[in-house]
Amino acid sequence: PGSSAERWDPRSRPLQEGETLDYDSSAYILNHSMRVEWPCLSFDILRDGWGNERVRFPLTAAIVTGTQAAKRDRNQVMV
């Protein structure tokens, strides 16, 4: 409330040449971070039966990703 920060959507307003973005946590009502030991090249959201447009807390989502470790036996799949 009272913040001029807003979420940026590249589909509705592409960055202009020389323009940069700054992270402002006040623009978001929810932010989750996950720490991984190795890079993850992609992730996917697992479907569930709880609906697509969740607007009330607590919000839930199941997300899966896999790491690309330096050694094959160090890879992980995380949900």
Side-chain angles (χ1 to χ4, degrees), residues 14-27:
L15 283 179
Q16 302 298 313
E17 188 173 335
E19 186 177 18
T20 60
L21 298 175
D22 288 321
Y23 173 75
D24 183 342
S25 64
S26 69

Side-chain angles (χ1 to χ4, degrees), residues 38-39 66-77:
W38 298 98
T67 63
Q68 185 171 355
K71 293 185 178 180
R72 188 178 190 171
D73 63 342
R74 303 281 297 169
N75 282 320
Q76 299 174 335
V77 173

Side-chain angles (χ1 to χ4, degrees), residues 49-62:
W50 298 333
N52 290 334
E53 297 190 29
R54 300 170 198 181
V55 294
R56 288 186 288 190
F57 290 99
L59 302 175
T60 60

